[in-house]
Amino acid sequence: MFNFDFYNPTRIVFGKDRLVSLEQLVPANANILITFGGGSAKKSGLMDKVKEALGSRKVLEFGGIEPNPRYETLIKAADVVREEGIDFLLAVGGGSVIDGTKFISLASNYSGEPSDLLKFGFIPIPLDVVGKAIPIGTVLTLPGTGSEMNTGAVISYENGKYPVMSGLTFPKFSILDPTITYTLPKIQAANGIIDTFVHTTEQYLTYPVNGLLQDRFAEGILLTLIEIGLKSVDEPGNYDVRANHVWCATLALNGLIGAGVPQDWATHMIGHELTAMFGIDHAQTLAIVLPSMLEVRRDKKRAKLLQYADRVWNIQTGSEDEKIDLAIQKTREFFESLGVKTRLSEYGVSADKIPDVVEQLKVHRMAVLSETQDLTLNISQKILENAM
Ligand code: NZQ
Ligand code: ZN
Protein backbone atom coordinates (compact mmCIF):
# COMPACT_ATOMS: atom_id res chain seq x y z
CA MET A 1 0.00 0.00 0.00
CA PHE A 2 1.39 3.45 -0.89
CA ASN A 3 1.64 6.34 1.60
CA PHE A 4 -1.37 8.60 1.42
CA ASP A 5 -3.24 11.51 3.01
CA PHE A 6 -6.99 11.21 3.25
CA TYR A 7 -8.90 14.44 3.81
CA ASN A 8 -12.49 15.12 2.89
CA PRO A 9 -14.37 17.92 4.68
CA THR A 10 -17.63 17.73 2.73
CA ARG A 11 -20.67 17.22 4.94
CA ILE A 12 -23.07 14.72 3.39
CA VAL A 13 -26.76 15.26 4.11
CA PHE A 14 -28.41 12.07 2.85
CA GLY A 15 -32.01 10.97 2.47
CA LYS A 16 -35.58 12.10 1.93
CA ASP A 17 -36.79 15.65 2.67
CA ARG A 18 -33.37 16.98 3.59
CA LEU A 19 -33.68 20.34 1.78
CA VAL A 20 -34.87 21.80 5.08
CA SER A 21 -31.24 21.44 6.26
CA LEU A 22 -30.36 24.39 4.02
CA GLU A 23 -31.61 26.60 6.85
CA GLN A 24 -28.74 25.43 9.07
CA LEU A 25 -26.18 24.80 6.32
CA VAL A 26 -26.23 28.17 4.51
CA PRO A 27 -25.18 31.26 6.52
CA ALA A 28 -28.24 33.32 7.44
CA ASN A 29 -26.76 36.49 5.91
CA ALA A 30 -25.40 34.81 2.78
CA ASN A 31 -25.69 36.49 -0.60
CA ILE A 32 -26.37 33.40 -2.72
CA LEU A 33 -26.07 32.50 -6.39
CA ILE A 34 -27.98 29.33 -7.24
CA THR A 35 -26.43 27.70 -10.31
CA PHE A 36 -28.33 25.22 -12.47
CA GLY A 37 -28.38 23.62 -15.90
CA GLY A 38 -30.80 23.49 -18.78
CA GLY A 39 -34.03 23.49 -16.87
CA SER A 40 -34.68 20.07 -15.31
CA ALA A 41 -34.34 21.54 -11.81
CA LYS A 42 -36.95 24.19 -12.63
CA LYS A 43 -39.32 21.82 -14.43
CA SER A 44 -39.29 19.36 -11.53
CA GLY A 45 -40.14 22.09 -9.02
CA LEU A 46 -36.84 21.50 -7.25
CA MET A 47 -35.68 25.09 -7.61
CA ASP A 48 -38.86 26.36 -5.91
CA LYS A 49 -38.27 23.98 -3.00
CA VAL A 50 -34.64 25.07 -2.71
CA LYS A 51 -35.59 28.76 -2.66
CA GLU A 52 -38.33 28.10 -0.12
CA ALA A 53 -35.80 26.36 2.12
CA LEU A 54 -33.45 29.38 1.83
CA GLY A 55 -36.10 31.57 3.38
CA SER A 56 -35.49 35.32 3.23
CA ARG A 57 -31.84 35.12 2.19
CA LYS A 58 -30.77 37.19 -0.84
CA VAL A 59 -30.81 34.80 -3.81
CA LEU A 60 -29.86 35.24 -7.46
CA GLU A 61 -29.99 32.49 -10.10
CA PHE A 62 -27.62 31.57 -12.93
CA GLY A 63 -28.89 28.89 -15.31
CA GLY A 64 -27.83 27.43 -18.61
CA ILE A 65 -24.74 25.52 -17.48
CA GLU A 66 -24.43 22.92 -20.24
CA PRO A 67 -23.73 19.22 -20.00
CA ASN A 68 -19.90 19.21 -20.29
CA PRO A 69 -19.87 22.74 -18.87
CA ARG A 70 -18.42 25.35 -21.15
CA TYR A 71 -15.82 27.88 -20.07
CA GLU A 72 -17.54 30.75 -21.91
CA THR A 73 -20.74 30.23 -19.92
CA LEU A 74 -18.96 29.90 -16.59
CA ILE A 75 -16.96 33.11 -16.82
CA LYS A 76 -20.22 34.99 -17.28
CA ALA A 77 -21.32 33.57 -13.93
CA ALA A 78 -17.99 34.62 -12.40
CA ASP A 79 -18.75 38.20 -13.54
CA VAL A 80 -22.14 38.02 -11.76
CA VAL A 81 -20.40 36.79 -8.59
CA ARG A 82 -18.05 39.76 -8.61
CA GLU A 83 -20.66 42.39 -9.63
CA GLU A 84 -23.26 41.22 -7.09
CA GLY A 85 -20.92 40.48 -4.19
CA ILE A 86 -22.02 36.84 -4.07
CA ASP A 87 -20.52 35.00 -1.09
CA PHE A 88 -22.15 31.57 -1.40
CA LEU A 89 -22.70 29.30 -4.42
CA LEU A 90 -25.40 26.63 -4.39
CA ALA A 91 -25.16 24.16 -7.31
CA VAL A 92 -28.42 22.39 -8.13
CA GLY A 93 -27.75 19.71 -10.73
CA GLY A 94 -25.50 16.90 -11.83
CA GLY A 95 -21.78 16.74 -12.41
CA SER A 96 -21.78 19.46 -15.04
CA VAL A 97 -23.48 22.04 -12.82
CA ILE A 98 -21.35 21.12 -9.80
CA ASP A 99 -18.11 21.13 -11.81
CA GLY A 100 -19.06 24.41 -13.44
CA THR A 101 -19.77 25.92 -10.03
CA LYS A 102 -16.37 24.84 -8.73
CA PHE A 103 -14.78 26.68 -11.65
CA ILE A 104 -16.97 29.77 -11.04
CA SER A 105 -15.85 29.72 -7.41
CA LEU A 106 -12.19 29.83 -8.45
CA ALA A 107 -12.46 32.11 -11.50
CA SER A 108 -14.34 34.78 -9.53
CA ASN A 109 -11.31 35.06 -7.24
CA TYR A 110 -8.67 35.12 -9.97
CA SER A 111 -7.48 38.48 -11.26
CA GLY A 112 -5.72 37.06 -14.34
CA GLU A 113 -7.03 35.43 -17.52
CA PRO A 114 -9.48 32.71 -16.27
CA SER A 115 -8.30 30.25 -18.95
CA ASP A 116 -4.97 30.16 -17.04
CA LEU A 117 -6.84 28.00 -14.51
CA LEU A 118 -7.28 25.25 -17.14
CA LYS A 119 -3.55 24.71 -17.51
CA PHE A 120 -2.77 22.81 -14.30
CA GLY A 121 -4.22 19.44 -15.34
CA PHE A 122 -4.47 17.12 -12.35
CA ILE A 123 -2.15 19.30 -10.25
CA PRO A 124 -4.21 21.23 -7.67
CA ILE A 125 -4.10 24.93 -8.53
CA PRO A 126 -1.45 26.46 -6.21
CA LEU A 127 -2.79 28.72 -3.45
CA ASP A 128 -0.53 31.55 -4.67
CA VAL A 129 -2.50 31.43 -7.95
CA VAL A 130 -5.96 31.23 -6.42
CA GLY A 131 -5.83 31.67 -2.66
CA LYS A 132 -9.51 31.71 -1.89
CA ALA A 133 -12.73 30.43 -3.34
CA ILE A 134 -16.39 31.19 -2.82
CA PRO A 135 -17.89 28.46 -0.58
CA ILE A 136 -20.05 25.94 -2.44
CA GLY A 137 -22.98 23.76 -1.42
CA THR A 138 -24.65 21.25 -3.74
CA VAL A 139 -28.03 19.66 -4.22
CA LEU A 140 -27.27 16.61 -6.35
CA THR A 141 -29.74 15.64 -9.07
CA LEU A 142 -27.72 13.00 -11.01
CA PRO A 143 -25.64 10.37 -9.14
CA GLY A 144 -22.59 9.38 -11.16
CA THR A 145 -19.59 11.72 -11.21
CA GLY A 146 -18.97 11.94 -7.48
CA SER A 147 -18.36 15.68 -7.92
CA GLU A 148 -20.58 16.32 -4.90
CA MET A 149 -17.80 15.05 -2.62
CA ASN A 150 -14.51 15.77 -4.39
CA THR A 151 -12.39 18.69 -5.57
CA GLY A 152 -12.42 17.77 -9.25
CA ALA A 153 -14.04 19.53 -12.16
CA VAL A 154 -13.88 18.99 -15.92
CA ILE A 155 -14.34 22.13 -17.99
CA SER A 156 -14.94 22.24 -21.76
CA TYR A 157 -12.87 24.87 -23.54
CA GLU A 158 -12.24 25.23 -27.28
CA ASN A 159 -12.09 21.57 -28.44
CA GLY A 160 -10.97 19.94 -25.22
CA LYS A 161 -12.12 18.89 -21.77
CA TYR A 162 -9.80 20.16 -19.04
CA PRO A 163 -9.47 18.80 -15.48
CA VAL A 164 -9.45 21.57 -12.85
CA MET A 165 -8.43 20.60 -9.30
CA SER A 166 -8.13 22.72 -6.18
CA GLY A 167 -8.10 21.96 -2.48
CA LEU A 168 -10.49 24.89 -2.11
CA THR A 169 -13.38 23.38 -4.07
CA PHE A 170 -14.59 20.65 -1.75
CA PRO A 171 -18.29 21.44 -1.40
CA LYS A 172 -19.03 22.54 2.20
CA PHE A 173 -22.03 20.22 2.07
CA SER A 174 -23.95 18.12 -0.45
CA ILE A 175 -27.58 17.19 -0.11
CA LEU A 176 -28.05 13.70 -1.51
CA ASP A 177 -31.78 13.09 -1.67
CA PRO A 178 -32.48 10.01 -3.84
CA THR A 179 -36.04 11.21 -4.52
CA ILE A 180 -34.61 14.22 -6.38
CA THR A 181 -33.14 11.81 -8.96
CA TYR A 182 -36.53 10.26 -9.77
CA THR A 183 -37.00 12.57 -12.76
CA LEU A 184 -33.84 11.28 -14.47
CA PRO A 185 -34.30 9.96 -18.00
CA LYS A 186 -33.32 6.27 -18.26
CA ILE A 187 -30.18 7.03 -20.24
CA GLN A 188 -28.91 9.42 -17.53
CA ALA A 189 -29.54 6.84 -14.81
CA ALA A 190 -27.60 4.35 -16.92
CA ASN A 191 -24.84 6.91 -17.47
CA GLY A 192 -24.58 7.43 -13.73
CA ILE A 193 -24.23 3.71 -13.04
CA ILE A 194 -21.55 3.32 -15.71
CA ASP A 195 -19.57 6.41 -14.69
CA THR A 196 -19.52 5.11 -11.11
CA PHE A 197 -18.50 1.63 -12.30
CA VAL A 198 -15.57 2.99 -14.29
CA HIS A 199 -14.44 5.40 -11.55
CA THR A 200 -14.15 2.28 -9.44
CA THR A 201 -12.27 0.22 -12.04
CA GLU A 202 -9.84 3.12 -12.67
CA GLN A 203 -8.79 2.77 -9.01
CA TYR A 204 -9.05 -1.05 -8.81
CA LEU A 205 -8.15 -2.74 -12.12
CA THR A 206 -4.47 -1.82 -11.92
CA TYR A 207 -1.90 -3.98 -10.03
CA PRO A 208 -1.89 -5.37 -6.46
CA VAL A 209 -0.28 -3.30 -3.68
CA ASN A 210 -1.84 -5.22 -0.77
CA GLY A 211 -4.65 -2.70 -0.51
CA LEU A 212 -6.89 -5.43 0.83
CA LEU A 213 -9.53 -3.12 2.25
CA GLN A 214 -9.53 -0.73 -0.72
CA ASP A 215 -10.05 -3.78 -2.98
CA ARG A 216 -13.01 -4.92 -0.90
CA PHE A 217 -14.48 -1.38 -0.93
CA ALA A 218 -14.13 -1.29 -4.73
CA GLU A 219 -15.52 -4.80 -5.18
CA GLY A 220 -18.43 -3.86 -2.90
CA ILE A 221 -19.28 -0.89 -5.11
CA LEU A 222 -19.01 -2.97 -8.31
CA LEU A 223 -21.14 -5.80 -6.89
CA THR A 224 -23.77 -3.31 -5.71
CA LEU A 225 -23.90 -1.59 -9.11
CA ILE A 226 -24.33 -4.95 -10.84
CA GLU A 227 -27.11 -5.82 -8.39
CA ILE A 228 -29.05 -2.54 -8.70
CA GLY A 229 -27.95 -1.11 -12.06
CA LEU A 230 -30.79 -2.28 -14.25
CA LYS A 231 -33.36 -1.64 -11.49
CA SER A 232 -32.13 1.93 -11.14
CA VAL A 233 -32.70 2.42 -14.87
CA ASP A 234 -36.05 0.62 -15.00
CA GLU A 235 -37.53 1.62 -11.61
CA PRO A 236 -36.73 5.34 -11.21
CA GLY A 237 -39.05 5.65 -8.19
CA ASN A 238 -37.52 2.73 -6.27
CA TYR A 239 -36.11 4.55 -3.24
CA ASP A 240 -33.97 1.70 -1.93
CA VAL A 241 -32.36 1.16 -5.33
CA ARG A 242 -31.73 4.84 -5.97
CA ALA A 243 -30.40 5.36 -2.43
CA ASN A 244 -27.74 2.75 -3.11
CA HIS A 245 -27.02 4.20 -6.57
CA VAL A 246 -26.48 7.64 -5.03
CA TRP A 247 -24.20 6.42 -2.25
CA CYS A 248 -22.13 4.21 -4.60
CA ALA A 249 -21.55 7.16 -6.92
CA THR A 250 -20.37 9.42 -4.11
CA LEU A 251 -18.04 6.87 -2.51
CA ALA A 252 -16.52 5.82 -5.84
CA LEU A 253 -14.75 9.18 -6.27
CA ASN A 254 -14.37 10.90 -2.89
CA GLY A 255 -10.81 9.69 -2.29
CA LEU A 256 -11.70 6.65 -0.16
CA ILE A 257 -11.17 3.71 -2.53
CA GLY A 258 -8.25 5.42 -4.26
CA ALA A 259 -6.24 6.04 -1.10
CA GLY A 260 -2.85 4.29 -1.18
CA VAL A 261 -3.43 2.33 -4.39
CA PRO A 262 -2.35 2.82 -8.03
CA GLN A 263 -4.78 4.65 -10.27
CA ASP A 264 -5.20 4.32 -14.05
CA TRP A 265 -7.55 7.00 -15.54
CA ALA A 266 -6.53 6.20 -19.13
CA THR A 267 -10.10 5.15 -19.93
CA HIS A 268 -11.30 8.57 -18.79
CA MET A 269 -8.62 10.51 -20.68
CA ILE A 270 -9.38 8.73 -23.94
CA GLY A 271 -13.11 9.07 -23.21
CA HIS A 272 -12.80 12.83 -22.69
CA GLU A 273 -11.46 13.20 -26.23
CA LEU A 274 -14.42 11.22 -27.63
CA THR A 275 -16.83 13.54 -25.79
CA ALA A 276 -14.99 16.67 -26.93
CA MET A 277 -14.79 15.55 -30.58
CA PHE A 278 -18.06 13.69 -31.12
CA GLY A 279 -20.34 14.91 -28.30
CA ILE A 280 -20.79 11.39 -26.90
CA ASP A 281 -22.00 11.43 -23.26
CA HIS A 282 -19.12 11.03 -20.79
CA ALA A 283 -20.26 7.69 -19.36
CA GLN A 284 -20.95 6.28 -22.82
CA THR A 285 -17.35 6.99 -23.87
CA LEU A 286 -16.27 4.90 -20.88
CA ALA A 287 -18.57 2.05 -21.90
CA ILE A 288 -16.86 2.13 -25.31
CA VAL A 289 -13.26 2.34 -24.05
CA LEU A 290 -13.13 0.17 -20.92
CA PRO A 291 -13.77 -3.29 -22.44
CA SER A 292 -11.22 -2.62 -25.16
CA MET A 293 -8.76 -1.16 -22.63
CA LEU A 294 -8.96 -4.32 -20.52
CA GLU A 295 -8.42 -6.52 -23.58
CA VAL A 296 -5.40 -4.57 -24.79
CA ARG A 297 -3.90 -4.13 -21.30
CA ARG A 298 -4.74 -7.62 -19.96
CA ASP A 299 -1.13 -8.57 -19.26
CA LYS A 300 -0.41 -5.37 -17.33
CA LYS A 301 -3.60 -5.88 -15.32
CA ARG A 302 -3.55 -9.72 -15.15
CA ALA A 303 -3.51 -10.20 -11.36
CA LYS A 304 -6.33 -7.72 -10.70
CA LEU A 305 -8.36 -8.93 -13.70
CA LEU A 306 -8.26 -12.46 -12.26
CA GLN A 307 -9.30 -11.10 -8.84
CA TYR A 308 -12.10 -9.12 -10.55
CA ALA A 309 -13.25 -12.25 -12.43
CA ASP A 310 -13.33 -14.25 -9.21
CA ARG A 311 -14.75 -11.76 -6.68
CA VAL A 312 -17.04 -9.61 -8.87
CA TRP A 313 -18.24 -12.00 -11.58
CA ASN A 314 -17.77 -15.28 -9.60
CA ILE A 315 -15.96 -16.91 -12.50
CA GLN A 316 -14.44 -20.06 -11.02
CA THR A 317 -13.65 -22.29 -14.01
CA GLY A 318 -11.46 -22.09 -17.12
CA SER A 319 -7.88 -21.09 -17.78
CA GLU A 320 -6.61 -17.69 -16.63
CA ASP A 321 -7.15 -16.22 -20.08
CA GLU A 322 -10.63 -17.74 -20.36
CA LYS A 323 -11.55 -16.20 -16.98
CA ILE A 324 -10.24 -12.78 -18.08
CA ASP A 325 -12.05 -13.01 -21.42
CA LEU A 326 -15.29 -13.88 -19.66
CA ALA A 327 -14.93 -11.08 -17.09
CA ILE A 328 -14.42 -8.53 -19.87
CA GLN A 329 -17.36 -9.96 -21.81
CA LYS A 330 -19.59 -9.72 -18.71
CA THR A 331 -18.49 -6.12 -18.21
CA ARG A 332 -19.50 -5.24 -21.75
CA GLU A 333 -22.80 -7.16 -21.37
CA PHE A 334 -23.54 -5.27 -18.15
CA PHE A 335 -23.16 -1.90 -19.88
CA GLU A 336 -25.28 -3.09 -22.84
CA SER A 337 -27.96 -4.40 -20.44
CA LEU A 338 -28.43 -0.80 -19.24
CA GLY A 339 -29.14 0.28 -22.80
CA VAL A 340 -25.68 1.71 -23.52
CA LYS A 341 -23.82 0.63 -26.65
CA THR A 342 -20.14 -0.34 -26.28
CA ARG A 343 -18.79 -0.08 -29.82
CA LEU A 344 -17.43 3.20 -31.18
CA SER A 345 -18.94 2.47 -34.61
CA GLU A 346 -22.41 2.37 -32.98
CA TYR A 347 -22.01 6.09 -32.20
CA GLY A 348 -21.42 6.94 -35.85
CA VAL A 349 -17.65 7.28 -35.54
CA SER A 350 -15.68 5.71 -38.40
CA ALA A 351 -12.23 4.19 -38.04
CA ASP A 352 -10.65 6.90 -40.16
CA LYS A 353 -11.35 9.36 -37.32
CA ILE A 354 -9.13 7.47 -34.86
CA PRO A 355 -5.87 9.23 -35.87
CA ASP A 356 -7.60 12.58 -35.13
CA VAL A 357 -8.50 11.37 -31.62
CA VAL A 358 -4.92 10.23 -31.05
CA GLU A 359 -3.68 13.62 -32.26
CA GLN A 360 -5.96 15.35 -29.73
CA LEU A 361 -4.57 13.15 -26.97
CA LYS A 362 -1.11 14.38 -27.97
CA VAL A 363 -2.23 18.03 -28.10
CA HIS A 364 -3.77 17.67 -24.62
CA ARG A 365 -0.55 16.14 -23.25
CA MET A 366 -2.11 12.72 -22.81
CA ALA A 367 0.65 10.89 -24.68
CA VAL A 368 1.61 8.73 -21.67
CA LEU A 369 -1.20 7.33 -19.53
CA SER A 370 -2.16 4.66 -16.99
CA GLU A 371 -1.05 3.42 -13.57
CA THR A 372 2.28 2.37 -15.06
CA GLN A 373 2.65 5.51 -17.19
CA ASP A 374 3.50 3.40 -20.26
CA LEU A 375 0.26 3.65 -22.21
CA THR A 376 1.64 5.49 -25.21
CA LEU A 377 -0.23 7.01 -28.14
CA ASN A 378 0.11 3.92 -30.30
CA ILE A 379 -1.48 1.84 -27.52
CA SER A 380 -4.29 4.42 -27.26
CA GLN A 381 -4.70 4.01 -31.02
CA LYS A 382 -4.89 0.23 -30.64
CA ILE A 383 -7.49 0.56 -27.84
CA LEU A 384 -9.64 2.80 -30.04
CA GLU A 385 -9.29 0.49 -33.08
CA ASN A 386 -10.19 -2.49 -30.90
CA ALA A 387 -13.27 -0.58 -29.68
CA MET A 388 -14.74 0.00 -33.17
O1 NZQ B 1 -29.01 20.54 -17.43
P1 NZQ B 1 -30.13 19.91 -16.71
O2 NZQ B 1 -31.46 20.53 -16.98
O3 NZQ B 1 -29.87 19.74 -15.24
O4 NZQ B 1 -30.27 18.41 -17.36
C1 NZQ B 1 -29.28 17.46 -17.13
C2 NZQ B 1 -28.43 17.18 -18.37
O5 NZQ B 1 -29.19 17.40 -19.53
C3 NZQ B 1 -29.97 16.14 -16.90
N1 NZQ B 1 -30.37 15.94 -15.51
C4 NZQ B 1 -29.58 16.00 -14.41
N2 NZQ B 1 -30.29 15.70 -13.31
C5 NZQ B 1 -31.57 15.48 -13.72
C6 NZQ B 1 -31.63 15.64 -15.12
N3 NZQ B 1 -32.76 15.49 -15.83
C7 NZQ B 1 -33.86 15.16 -15.14
N4 NZQ B 1 -33.88 14.98 -13.79
C8 NZQ B 1 -32.76 15.12 -13.06
N5 NZQ B 1 -32.80 14.89 -11.73
O6 NZQ B 1 -28.99 15.15 -17.25
C9 NZQ B 1 -28.14 15.68 -18.26
C10 NZQ B 1 -26.71 15.37 -17.91
O7 NZQ B 1 -26.37 16.09 -16.75
P2 NZQ B 1 -24.79 16.23 -16.40
O8 NZQ B 1 -24.66 17.02 -15.14
O9 NZQ B 1 -24.05 16.72 -17.60
O10 NZQ B 1 -24.37 14.72 -16.19
P3 NZQ B 1 -23.28 14.09 -15.21
O11 NZQ B 1 -23.70 14.22 -13.82
O12 NZQ B 1 -22.99 12.74 -15.76
O13 NZQ B 1 -21.98 15.03 -15.40
C11 NZQ B 1 -21.16 14.87 -16.53
C12 NZQ B 1 -19.99 15.85 -16.41
O14 NZQ B 1 -19.20 15.51 -15.24
C13 NZQ B 1 -17.84 15.40 -15.61
C14 NZQ B 1 -17.90 14.90 -17.04
O15 NZQ B 1 -16.69 15.13 -17.73
C15 NZQ B 1 -19.05 15.75 -17.61
O16 NZQ B 1 -18.58 17.02 -17.96
N6 NZQ B 1 -17.15 14.54 -14.62
C16 NZQ B 1 -16.84 15.08 -13.41
C17 NZQ B 1 -16.08 14.37 -12.49
C18 NZQ B 1 -15.74 14.96 -11.17
N7 NZQ B 1 -16.00 16.21 -10.90
O17 NZQ B 1 -15.18 14.26 -10.31
C19 NZQ B 1 -15.57 13.03 -12.74
C20 NZQ B 1 -16.23 12.35 -13.90
O18 NZQ B 1 -15.35 11.35 -14.38
C21 NZQ B 1 -16.60 13.27 -15.04
O19 NZQ B 1 -15.45 13.53 -15.84
ZN1 ZN C 1 -16.22 9.73 -15.02
Side-chain angles (χ1 to χ4, degrees):
M1 200 185 301
F2 304 149
N3 287 1
F4 66 89
D5 285 14
F6 179 76
Y7 170 71
N8 194 315
T10 299
R11 173 188 293 273
I12 294 297
V13 179
F14 188 99
K16 280 184 195 138
D17 307 327
R18 301 304 308 270
L19 288 175
V20 290
S21 311
L22 287 170
E23 179 51 37
Q24 285 77 42
L25 295 166
V26 178
N29 60 352
N31 182 4
I32 305 160
L33 184 67
I34 301 179
T35 52
F36 63 97
S40 72
K42 288 224 167 198
K43 214 161 78 200
S44 66
L46 175 59
M47 282 291 277
D48 292 337
K49 289 181 190 157
V50 167
K51 286 191 283 189
E52 186 188 340
L54 290 169
S56 57
R57 292 173 180 83
K58 185 173 178 258
V59 174
L60 288 178
E61 297 177 12
F62 183 91
I65 296 179
E66 312 84 348
N68 305 299
R70 292 215 61 86
Y71 169 84
E72 307 79 63
T73 305
L74 303 173
I75 51 173
K76 288 185 194 129
D79 290 342
V80 172
V81 167
R82 281 188 288 267
E83 287 152 16
E84 300 292 337
I86 298 295
D87 58 17
F88 197 90
L89 293 166
L90 185 61
V92 179
S96 290
V97 172
I98 299 172
D99 282 11
T101 304
K102 291 176 182 175
F103 186 76
I104 294 164
S105 164
L106 295 167
S108 55
N109 279 287
Y110 180 62
S111 52
E113 167 55 41
S115 61
D116 296 346
L117 303 181
L118 303 176
K119 293 176 182 143
F120 292 88
F122 285 100
I123 313 288
I125 297 173
L127 291 176
D128 59 2
V129 174
V130 180
K132 70 186 178 80
I134 307 279
I136 299 167
T138 88
V139 177
L140 181 74
T141 65
L142 197 169
T145 62
S147 189
E148 66 277 9
M149 197 178 186
N150 69 35
T151 59
V154 181
I155 305 303
S156 292
Y157 176 66
E158 292 176 348
N159 59 356
K161 279 172 72 75
Y162 293 84
V164 175
M165 316 293 281
S166 160
L168 301 172
T169 54
F170 274 115
K172 298 298 174 208
F173 64 83
S174 285
I175 296 185
L176 308 185
D177 175 347
T179 65
I180 290 175
T181 74
Y182 286 176
T183 52
L184 273 174
K186 280 182 179 273
I187 188 60
Q188 293 302 344
N191 282 349
I193 293 284
I194 293 171
D195 199 13
T196 304
F197 195 98
V198 182
H199 290 160
T200 307
T201 57
E202 298 274 25
Q203 303 168 82
Y204 169 72
L205 285 179
T206 53
Y207 57 84
V209 290
N210 197 36
L212 304 181
L213 179 58
Q214 292 91 323
D215 281 359
R216 296 285 181 181
F217 280 152
E219 289 152 3
I221 292 174
L222 296 174
L223 285 164
T224 305
L225 293 171
I226 292 163
E227 183 176 344
I228 62 154
L230 190 53
K231 282 186 209 144
S232 191
V233 171
D234 285 345
E235 302 167 33
N238 182 326
Y239 183 82
D240 291 340
V241 165
R242 272 295 157 84
N244 282 285
H245 177 164
V246 168
W247 197 222
C248 281
T250 301
L251 289 190
L253 200 51
N254 76 340
L256 179 67
I257 68 169
V261 296
Q263 303 196 23
D264 184 348
W265 297 108
T267 299
H268 267 72
M269 295 306 107
I270 296 170
H272 281 172
E273 299 308 336
L274 296 178
T275 297
M277 290 180 72
F278 307 110
I280 303 170
D281 285 358
H282 169 64
Q284 291 164 29
T285 70
L286 308 179
I288 294 164
V289 175
L290 182 69
S292 174
M293 167 74 66
L294 298 181
E295 280 160 4
V296 172
R297 300 284 282 180
R298 64 192 297 137
D299 289 339
K300 287 280 178 184
K301 298 176 180 282
R302 179 168 287 271
K304 290 305 282 289
L305 277 168
L306 287 167
Q307 183 173 320
Y308 171 63
D310 169 26
R311 291 189 184 174
V312 176
W313 295 108
N314 191 27
I315 297 166
Q316 303 303 331
T317 54
S319 69
E320 282 195 355
D321 279 315
E322 286 165 344
K323 286 176 178 175
I324 290 172
D325 285 339
L326 187 53
I328 297 171
Q329 180 194 321
K330 285 194 171 283
T331 306
R332 184 188 299 279
E333 287 170 357
F334 173 58
F335 295 159
E336 299 261 353
S337 75
L338 305 178
V340 172
K341 297 285 174 224
T342 60
R343 292 279 172 199
L344 190 51
S345 51
E346 292 171 303
Y347 291 83
V349 179
S350 51
D352 62 329
K353 292 284 187 295
I354 289 176
D356 299 338
V357 181
V358 175
E359 180 54 29
Q360 283 303 303
L361 281 168
K362 188 173 169 197
V363 165
H364 295 136
R365 292 179 290 168
M366 297 290 167
V368 174
L369 296 170
S370 93
E371 66 274 19
T372 43
Q373 284 294 290
D374 61 353
L375 201 158
T376 53
L377 289 173
N378 60 3
I379 300 175
S380 290
Q381 171 135 354
K382 199 165 163 220
I383 289 164
L384 286 161
E385 288 164 353
N386 186 51
M388 277 312 294

